[in-house]
C-alpha cells in the first residue's frame, strides 16, 4: 500500500528513489513509527523528502494519498472516531444542530456518509451529492452545508487539521533553485589556479629530483600553494521584470563565491550609462561613475552582464534615450567603452533565446557584445565560462 | 529499540526530530540536519551521544578539508626525515599512517556517534567522496593494504547550513531533517530548560523583544536560539528587571546588550533606525 505513496510522490515532483523508499520500509519494520499516525508521517517525511524545498510538495501528496486511502478502504478504520463524533458535535452551533435534525439527526447523517463512502470509489470535487471538496453535500471539506461533515481537508475543526495539512514548509519550495548545483558546477570551470604567496607546500617531485641529485641525502623543496585567482565583475540589470532573475543570478554567483578570488557586483537599469550603483537593497546606494569603475577594476577582471536587454532601442542608441535621466552619451558608447576595457566579457540573458530574434534591442545588444550573449541555462552558462576562460 | 531519543532537560526536541533521530539510529543510516544557524544542529549530536551513551567524535569541516583526511593521512615527510636519521621505525609504513575521524569512529569500542559538522563548508565534491565509506562503513588503506571496517556502525549526524547544495546521490543515503525556527511557545520551553529560575515576566518581555528583533526586515543575520540564550544570560547576570525591558519597549529604544543579539554594525544601525521610527510591534 506504500507503493502508491511512492508513485504519487514521484508524480507530484518529489524526487524519491528506491534507495530511500526501502530505507523507509525498513524503518517501519524496525518499529520507528510505532503505529502512531503522526510519527508515521514524520518518518515518511524524513526518509522520503530529501530537501526542505520538497517538504511542501511532500505534504500535499501525503494529504492526497492519505485521503484517498480513506476513500478506497474502510475510512472508519483509519480516521480517528473523534473526528466524526466528539469534536464534530462540539463545533456545531445550536442552529446547526437544529439543521442536522432536519436531515434526520447525527446518527442518520453518519449512516448516510457510510453508504456514500461505500458507493464512491474515486476522489470527487464539487457537486452536491458526492463526498469531496468544495461542494454543497453534507459530506467533504470546504463546503457550505452547515450540517457538513468533514472528511480530511481544511476545516474549522482544530483537532482535525493534521500536521501535514498545515503546510509549514510552503516557503521553502521553489522551482527556481532546482538545478543550481549543475550551474554552480559550470561556474566552477572558471577557476584558474596559479601558485603565489609563501612557499609552504611540499613539492614532492622537485624534492625527489633534488634528493637524487644530492646523492640520496634529503633536500626538501617547497612551493607556493595553488590559489584561484579568477576575478569577476558582475553587472546586474535591476528594476521591473528583471528583479526575480537578478536574485537567482546573485545567489548563483555568491554561492560560487569561494571559487573566485574577487567577486564585485554593481547594478544598472536597462543599459549601462555613466553611472552604476553598488547596493540595491534600500534604494540605490553607493553610486559610482562608470569611468571610475573602469579605473578601479583592471582588464583582467572577467565581466559578466546579466540583463534581459529588453527596452526601446533608443535607450541604447540615442543620447538622452534613458528612461530615467538625461544621458549625455548614448548607452552604446558606454557599452563600447566598457567592452574595450574588459577583454573577457559575456552577457547572460534570462529571456528564453527563441525570443531574442523578435526583440530589436536584444539584437542590438548582442551585436555590441560581439555575439557573446548567452541564455540563463546550463548550456548557456557553459558557453559563458568558455568565453570567459579564453 | 533499546534507546529512544527524546527531549532532555536541556534540549527540546520536537516529535518530528525524535522520529528522524530514532530512524537514523535504528537503520544505521546517516542523519542530515539542516536549518538556520543557531537552531541547535551541532548540539543535537552531543545530545544523541549522551542519550545513547556513546562517545561523540566530531569532525569539523572547513573549506580546505578533503574527504580523505577523514579516513587517514600518510605522513610521507616524517618518514623521509626518519630515513635520513636512520630510525628503525621507517621500515614499517604503518608508523606513518595517521588515522582520521572516520577511522576513529569505525574502530571505537562499542560504537560512537560521528558528527560531520558543516559539510557544506567543504568543496562541492566532498560529500560524493564519502559516499562509499558512509554506505559500507569500511575503507582500504592503500599503503598497507589494511581494511578498516566498522565493527559497529557509528551513528552519523551531518549538519549543513545550506551554503552549497549537496549532491543527490549523497542525499539519497541520508534521513533528512530540517530544524524549523522554534515558535514562541517552544522557544519559551527552550529558554526555561536553560534558565529554570528565570522569572516569568522577564522571559515574556525578553521573548517579545527577541521576536521583535527577528521581525525587523533587512537584517543580515537574524538572531537565533544561541544568541537569545547568550543575551538572556547577560540579562540575568546584570539583574535586568522585566520593568526595565518594558520601559525600553515603550520608549522605542533598542534592547540592552544589543551586541549579543545582532552581531554586525549595519544590523545594529538598521535595528536602531527601525525601532526608533516604528517602535516595537507587539
Amino acid at each position: 500500500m506504500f507503493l502508491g505513496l511512492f508513485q504519487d510522490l514521484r508524480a507530484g515532483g518529489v524526487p524519491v528513489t528506491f534507495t530511500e523508499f526501502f530505507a523507509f520500509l525498513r524503518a517501519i519494520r524496525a518499529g520507528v513509527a510505532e503505529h502512531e499516525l503522526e510519527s508515521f508521517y514524520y518518518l515518511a517525511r524524513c526518509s522520503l523528502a530529501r530537501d526542505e524545498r520538497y517538504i511542501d510538495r511532500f505534504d500535499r501528496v501525503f494529504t492526497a494519498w492519505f485521503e484517498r486511502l480513506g476513500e478506497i478502504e474502510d475510512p472508519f478504520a483509519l480516521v480517528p472516531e473523534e473526528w466524526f463524533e466528539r469534536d464534530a458535535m462540539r463545533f456545531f452551533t445550536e442552529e446547526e444542530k437544529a439543521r442536522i435534525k432536519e436531515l434526520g439527526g447525527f446518527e442518520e447523517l453518519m449512516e448516510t456518509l457510510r453508504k456514500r463512502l461505500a458507493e464512491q470509489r474515486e476522489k470527487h470535487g464539487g457537486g452536491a451529492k458526492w463526498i469531496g471538496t468544495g461542494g454543497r453535500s453534507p459530506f467533504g471539506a470546504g463546503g457550505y452545508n452547515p450540517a457538513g461533515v468533514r472528511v480530511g481537508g481544511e476545516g474549522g475543526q482544530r483537532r482535525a487539521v493534521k500536521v501535514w495539512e498545515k503546510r509549514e514548509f510552503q516557503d521553502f519550495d521553489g522551482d527556481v533553485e532546482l538545478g543550481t548545483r549543475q550551474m554552480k558546477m559550470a561556474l566552477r570551470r572558471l577557476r584558474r589556479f596559479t601558485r603565489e604567496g609563501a612557499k609552504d607546500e611540499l613539492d614532492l617531485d622537485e624534492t625527489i629530483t633534488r634528493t637524487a641529485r644530492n646523492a640520496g641525502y634529503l633536500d626538501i623543496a617547497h612551493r607556493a600553494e595553488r590559489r584561484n585567482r579568477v576575478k569577476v565583475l558582475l553587472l546586474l540589470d535591476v528594476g521591473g521584470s528583471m528583479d526575480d532573475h537578478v536574485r537567482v543570478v546573485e545567489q548563483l554567483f555568491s554561492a560560487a563565491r569561494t571559487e573566485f578570488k574577487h567577486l564585485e557586483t554593481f547594478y544598472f537599469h536597462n543599459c549601462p550609462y555613466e553611472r552604476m550603483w553598488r547596493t540595491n537593497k534600500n534604494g540605490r546606494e553607493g553610486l559610482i561613475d562608470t569611468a571610475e569603475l573602469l579605473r578601479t577594476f583592471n582588464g583582467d577582471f572577467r565581466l559578466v552582464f546579466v540583463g534581459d536587454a529588453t527596452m526601446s532601442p533608443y535607450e541604447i542608441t540615442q543620447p538622452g534615450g534613458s528612461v530615467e535621466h538625461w544621458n549625455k552619451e548614448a548607452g552604446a558608447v558606454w557599452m563600447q567603452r566598457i567592452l574595450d576595457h574588459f577583454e573577457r566579457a559575456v552577457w547572460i540573458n534570462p529571456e528564453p533565446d527563441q525570443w531574442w530574434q523578435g526583440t530589436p534591442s536584444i539584437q542590438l545588444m548582442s551585436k555590441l557584445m560581439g555575439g557573446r550573449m548567452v541564455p540563463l541555462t546550463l548550456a548557456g552558462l557553459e558557453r559563458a565560462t568558455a568565453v570567459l576562460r579564453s | 529499540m533499546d534507546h529512544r531519543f527524546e527531549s532532555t532537560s536541556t534540549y527540546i526536541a520536537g516529535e518530528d526530530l525524535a522520529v528522524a533521530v530514532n530512524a537514523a539510529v535504528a537503520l544505521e543510516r546517516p542523519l542530515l540536519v539542516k536549518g538556520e544557524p543557531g537552531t541547535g544542529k551541532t548540539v543535537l549530536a552531543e545530545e544523541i551521544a549522551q542519550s545513547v551513551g556513546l562517545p561523540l567524535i566530531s569532525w569539523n569541516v572547513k573549506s580546505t578539508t578533503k574527504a580523505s583526511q577523514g579516513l587517514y593521512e600518510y605522513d610521507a615527510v616524517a618518514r623521509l626525515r626518519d630515513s635520513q636519521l636512520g630510525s628503525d621505525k621507517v621500515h614499517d609504513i604503518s608508523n606513518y599512517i595517521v588515522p582520521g575521524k572516520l577511522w576513529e569512529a569505525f574502530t571505537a569500542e562499542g560504537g560512537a556517534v560521528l558528527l560531520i559538522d558543516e559539510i557544506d563548508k567543504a568543496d562541492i565534491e566532498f560529500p560524493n567522496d564519502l559516499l562509499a565509506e558512509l554506505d559500507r562503513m569500511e575503507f582500504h588503506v592503500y599503503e598497507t593494504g589494511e581494511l578498516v571496517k566498522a565493527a559497529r556502525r557509528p551513528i552519523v549526524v551531518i549538519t549543513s547550513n545550506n551554503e552549497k547544495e549537496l549532491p543527490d546521490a549523497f542525499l539519497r543515503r541520508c534521513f533528512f531533517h530540517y530544524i524549523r525556527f522554534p515558535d514562541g511557545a517552544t522557544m519559551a520551553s527552550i529558554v526555561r530548560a536553560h534558565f529554570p529560575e528565570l522569572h516569568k515576566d522577564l522571559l515574556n518581555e525578553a521573548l517579545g523583544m527577541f521576536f521583535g528583533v527577528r521581525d525587523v526586515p533587512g537584517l543580515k543575520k537574524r538572531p537565533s536560539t544561541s544568541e537569545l540564550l547568550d543575551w538572556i544570560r547577560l540579562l540575568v547576570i546584570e539583574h535586568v528587571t522585566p520593568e526595565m525591558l518594558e520601559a525600553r519597549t515603550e520608549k522605542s529604544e533598542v534592547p540592552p546588550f544589543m551586541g549579543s543579539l545582532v552581531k554586525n554594525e549595519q544590523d545594529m544601525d538598521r535595528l536602531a533606525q527601525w525601532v526608533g521610527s516604528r517602535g516595537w510591534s507587539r
Side-chain angles (χ1 to χ4, degrees):
Chain A
M1 95 174 163
F2 299 129
L3 202 61
L5 177 63
F6 177 72
Q7 282 160 345
D8 288 357
L9 283 172
R10 287 191 66 100
V14 183
V16 47
T17 62
F18 274 112
T19 322
E20 290 129 302
F21 187 60
F22 287 144
F24 167 59
L25 295 181
R26 271 170 39 223
I28 292 176
R29 204 171 308 150
V32 175
E34 303 214 315
H35 312 297
E36 259 174 55
L37 204 51
E38 216 151 274
S39 320
F40 172 77
Y41 158 72
Y42 287 135
L43 176 65
R45 193 179 80 187
C46 82
S47 36
L48 301 175
R50 72 167 85 117
D51 197 287
E52 67 271 19
R53 63 168 184 256
Y54 301 131
I55 294 183
D56 184 50
R57 284 183 220 172
F58 176 87
D59 284 354
R60 275 181 286 166
V61 172
F62 189 87
T63 307
W65 173 77
F66 187 73
E67 262 176 39
R68 216 175 43 235
L69 202 67
E71 282 164 11
I72 292 167
E73 288 158 29
D74 179 12
F76 289 87
L78 270 149
V79 181
E81 276 301 297
E82 67 261 32
W83 279 27
F84 293 109
E85 284 162 28
R86 260 187 303 130
D87 267 17
M89 280 316 276
R90 196 194 306 149
F91 277 83
F92 289 145
T93 63
E94 286 310 308
E95 219 177 276
E96 284 167 340
K97 281 178 187 161
R99 294 281 296 275
I100 293 173
K101 280 216 177 95
E102 283 173 30
L103 280 151
F106 195 73
E107 299 306 322
E108 174 75 309
L109 202 61
M110 296 314 286
E111 197 41 54
T112 323
L113 171 62
R114 255 175 242 267
K115 268 191 218 138
R116 292 265 170 92
L117 279 171
E119 281 176 74
Q120 182 176 345
R121 276 288 172 268
E122 53 197 325
K123 197 174 158 66
H124 183 80
K129 182 183 177 194
W130 291 118
I131 302 150
T133 48
R136 285 180 312 279
S137 150
F139 310 112
Y144 35 83
N145 187 318
V149 170
R150 208 177 68 83
V151 184
E154 282 168 43
Q157 289 134 307
R158 181 182 47 82
R159 174 69 183 80
V161 179
K162 284 294 178 187
V163 202
W164 49 90
E165 290 174 351
K166 286 189 198 153
R167 299 192 49 194
E168 290 180 326
F169 283 82
Q170 219 163 344
D171 301 343
F172 292 98
D173 193 0
D175 273 325
V176 211
E177 262 292 321
L178 294 183
T180 51
R181 182 182 153 81
Q182 285 164 301
M183 292 195 175
K184 278 172 209 157
M185 293 300 281
L187 283 179
R188 231 182 126 189
R189 278 190 218 145
L190 270 180
R191 292 196 296 190
R192 186 144 285 210
F193 285 109
T194 45
R195 296 187 182 280
E196 60 181 313
K199 295 189 171 179
D200 52 4
E201 192 185 85
L202 177 72
D203 184 347
L204 200 57
D205 288 343
E206 185 60 26
T207 303
I208 293 168
T209 315
R210 283 211 232 163
T211 305
R213 277 208 204 109
N214 212 7
Y217 275 92
L218 191 55
D219 187 357
I220 291 177
H222 284 94
R223 65 181 167 191
E225 206 183 321
R226 261 158 43 106
R227 288 204 176 88
N228 188 14
R229 26 169 322 169
V230 158
K231 300 182 240 177
V232 175
L233 181 62
L234 199 55
L235 299 182
L236 303 167
D237 175 6
V238 283
S241 60
M242 275 301 297
D243 285 358
D244 289 339
H245 296 308
V246 158
R247 213 163 306 130
V248 176
V249 174
E250 268 178 316
Q251 277 168 6
L252 205 60
F253 273 83
S254 54
R257 178 165 229 132
T258 47
E259 316 292 348
F260 312 125
K261 188 170 181 235
H262 293 291
L263 173 66
E264 302 283 346
T265 314
F266 290 91
Y267 300 88
F268 62 94
H269 185 59
N270 279 359
C271 180
Y273 300 108
E274 65 275 8
R275 265 190 203 160
M276 304 200 185
W277 54 98
R278 200 177 247 291
T279 52
N280 198 48
K281 293 277 147 49
N282 319 304
R284 293 170 186 180
E285 280 168 22
L287 281 176
I288 181 171
D289 286 338
T290 305
E292 171 83 30
L293 191 105
L294 295 182
R295 279 197 298 276
T296 314
F297 302 105
N298 59 13
D300 63 352
F301 267 83
R302 267 81 171 160
L303 179 64
V304 179
F305 286 104
V306 181
D308 54 8
T310 305
M311 58 196 121
S312 146
Y314 297 116
E315 292 179 51
I316 303 174
T317 56
Q318 299 298 318
S322 164
V323 285
E324 293 197 322
H325 69 299
W326 176 261
N327 54 312
K328 230 160 67 184
E329 287 170 294
V333 175
W334 279 110
M335 275 302 288
Q336 202 50 56
R337 251 178 226 150
I338 295 170
L339 290 172
D340 283 347
H341 183 74
F342 297 104
E343 221 174 289
R344 281 162 297 222
V346 75
W347 185 299
I348 299 177
N349 193 333
E351 292 288 316
D353 47 351
Q354 60 266 33
W355 298 356
W356 293 4
Q357 284 296 336
T359 317
S361 62
I362 295 185
Q363 291 299 312
L364 260 170
M365 202 53 105
S366 175
K367 215 170 126 198
L368 277 171
M369 290 299 301
R372 291 172 293 178
M373 186 180 274
V374 299
L376 184 54
T377 58
L378 191 58
L381 272 186
E382 265 166 19
R383 231 181 83 211
T385 50
V387 170
L388 293 176
R389 271 181 69 95
S390 62
Chain B
M1 275 190 305
D2 37 349
H3 312 287
R4 282 202 77 87
F5 181 75
E6 277 158 359
S7 293
T8 63
S9 57
T10 49
Y11 191 83
I12 307 294
E15 165 78 10
D16 48 348
L17 178 58
V19 169
V21 169
N22 288 326
V25 173
L27 260 66
E28 301 173 324
R29 260 161 74 101
L31 173 66
L32 172 66
V33 188
K34 287 213 258 182
E36 254 185 72
T39 41
K41 298 189 290 294
T42 308
V43 188
L44 172 67
E46 289 162 18
E47 292 294 332
I48 295 176
Q50 220 168 49
S51 96
V52 296
L54 291 173
L56 173 71
I57 296 171
S58 342
W59 183 14
N60 297 308
V61 176
K62 302 192 190 83
S63 64
T64 51
T65 308
K66 302 250 174 349
S68 60
Q69 290 169 346
L71 309 180
Y72 65 91
E73 278 178 294
Y74 170 39
D75 192 351
V77 178
R79 192 174 189 208
L80 212 54
R81 189 194 55 223
D82 283 357
S83 79
Q84 301 285 307
L85 300 173
S87 162
D88 272 345
K89 266 166 68 182
V90 81
H91 299 295
D92 187 0
I93 196 165
S94 62
N95 285 328
Y96 302 96
I97 303 281
V98 186
K101 296 287 181 191
L102 239 60
W103 186 325
E104 225 180 282
F106 286 3
T107 51
E109 198 92 13
V113 176
L114 173 66
L115 166 69
I116 305 179
D117 209 7
E118 308 194 337
I119 195 164
D120 54 330
K121 288 265 184 305
D123 190 86
I124 201 157
E125 282 303 327
F126 179 89
N128 275 338
D129 294 345
L130 285 177
L131 284 183
E133 285 75 14
L134 288 179
D135 241 12
R136 293 201 303 269
M137 299 279 180
E138 63 176 41
F139 61 89
H140 272 99
V141 184
Y142 296 106
E143 282 78 0
T144 59
E146 186 187 349
L147 175 72
V148 179
K149 194 172 162 64
R152 193 172 154 192
R153 290 169 70 99
I155 299 165
V156 183
V157 180
I158 301 164
T159 73
S160 163
N161 279 326
N162 251 354
E163 270 182 31
K164 295 193 185 80
E165 234 173 294
L166 303 172
D168 275 351
F170 180 77
L171 295 174
R172 275 202 291 276
R173 288 165 167 83
C174 302
F175 283 112
F176 171 68
H177 182 74
Y178 188 90
I179 299 191
R180 290 182 56 79
F181 197 82
D183 57 13
T186 318
M187 194 53 108
S189 56
I190 292 173
V191 174
R192 250 182 257 119
H194 286 262
F195 302 96
E197 308 284 299
L198 193 69
H199 194 277
K200 196 172 88 246
D201 294 342
L202 182 61
L203 175 65
N204 282 345
E205 287 295 329
L207 280 182
M209 254 183 171
F210 171 74
F211 280 103
V213 172
R214 275 184 61 88
D215 283 344
V216 175
L219 284 191
K220 276 215 170 87
K221 164 79 177 74
R222 296 192 295 170
S224 56
T225 317
S226 57
E227 277 99 11
L228 173 68
L229 294 177
D230 287 346
W231 183 56
I232 290 185
R233 190 163 296 128
L234 270 176
L235 296 183
V236 172
I237 292 171
E238 298 292 326
H239 304 291
V240 175
T241 61
E243 290 75 32
M244 285 157 82
L245 287 184
E246 210 184 327
R248 290 232 183 194
T249 313
E250 260 152 35
K251 280 187 275 174
S252 299
E253 286 175 345
V254 295
F257 314 112
M258 170 170 81
S260 58
L261 282 177
V262 283
K263 301 281 175 69
N264 77 51
E265 218 171 305
Q266 285 136 297
D267 280 1
M268 287 194 187
D269 292 346
R270 176 94 189 112
L271 178 64
Q273 178 210 342
W274 178 264
V275 171
S277 62
R278 306 208 161 202
W280 292 93
S281 50
R282 312 206 67 187

